[in-house]
Amino acid sequence: MSESLVLRSASMSDASLLLNWRNDRETRNASLQSAEVLQDEHLIWLRKTLSDPAQKLLVALDGDTPVGTVRACFADGVWELSWTTAPEARGYGVAKRMVEILAKQLTEPICANVKIENAASARVAQHVGMERVQILDGDIAHYRRGELM
């Protein structure tokens, strides 16, 4: 992995790649929604996400190689972030770098919900200045940076 990483907007041509990453066993184990996603429902979700001005869905590239995705959803004055690293790119700091790039672009508060046992994602949230502020449903940590108006 190189040190340079860029983010580009996702498109429908990324559908298969994003679905494969989403349905990867380790990704599902770390996700709040751990069920496998079917292709039809994924395509519906992707079309809706790409057409929603309150959402940013980005693909991280190392050179020409896609290595992860980061999403930001804006609601109630805060951007909720979520991310996935490509299985072959794990362990190289990709998540920290791609989330940091996006977080630097956002002036409003940011937050993320992370399973308590997902230490890697907790470190990503902390890396971009989020602090754990509460536990939801007993096993989800809510991280936040910035104040609500």
Side-chain angles (χ1 to χ4, degrees), residues 17-33:
L17 179 69
L18 296 173
L19 181 60
N20 288 338
W21 290 347
R22 171 61 183 89
N23 280 337
D24 171 74
R25 181 179 304 279
E26 284 186 48
T27 299
R28 286 187 294 116
N29 288 341
S31 295
L32 302 181
Q33 310 285 317

Side-chain angles (χ1 to χ4, degrees), residues 61-78:
L61 299 172
D62 179 23
D64 292 334
T65 305
V67 293
T69 184
V70 59
R71 183 169 63 109
C73 301
F74 192 70
D76 300 323
V78 63

Side-chain angles (χ1 to χ4, degrees), residues 20-136:
N20 288 338
W21 290 347
R22 171 61 183 89
N23 280 337
D24 171 74
R25 181 179 304 279
E26 284 186 48
T27 299
R28 286 187 294 116
N29 288 341
S31 295
L32 302 181
Q33 310 285 317
S34 60
E36 201 164 309
V37 176
L38 300 175
Q39 183 176 2
D40 288 346
E41 64 184 303
H42 174 69
L43 292 173
I44 291 167
W45 170 86
L46 184 57
R47 280 188 195 94
K48 181 180 174 191
T49 298
L50 294 175
S51 66
D52 185 348
Q55 295 196 56
K56 299 173 185 277
L57 181 61
L58 306 163
V59 174
L61 299 172
D62 179 23
D64 292 334
T65 305
V67 293
T69 184
V70 59
R71 183 169 63 109
C73 301
F74 192 70
D76 300 323
V78 63
W79 288 101
E80 183 176 349
L81 306 184
S82 58
W83 52 89
T84 300
T85 301
E88 62 278 6
R90 291 185 185 128
Y92 295 98
V94 168
K96 280 184 177 179
R97 293 194 332 253
M98 68 181 174
V99 174
E100 180 179 34
I101 292 167
L102 178 57
K104 284 181 177 179
Q105 298 172 15
L106 304 173
T107 56
E108 298 86 0
I110 61 174
C111 71
N113 293 320
V114 177
K115 279 185 174 178
I116 298 259
E117 68 267 14
N118 188 346
S121 284
R123 287 190 299 271
V124 171
Q126 293 165 344
H127 177 76
V128 298
M130 287 190 256
E131 296 179 8
R132 190 169 88 180
V133 294
Q134 71 185 102
I135 302 298
L136 308 170

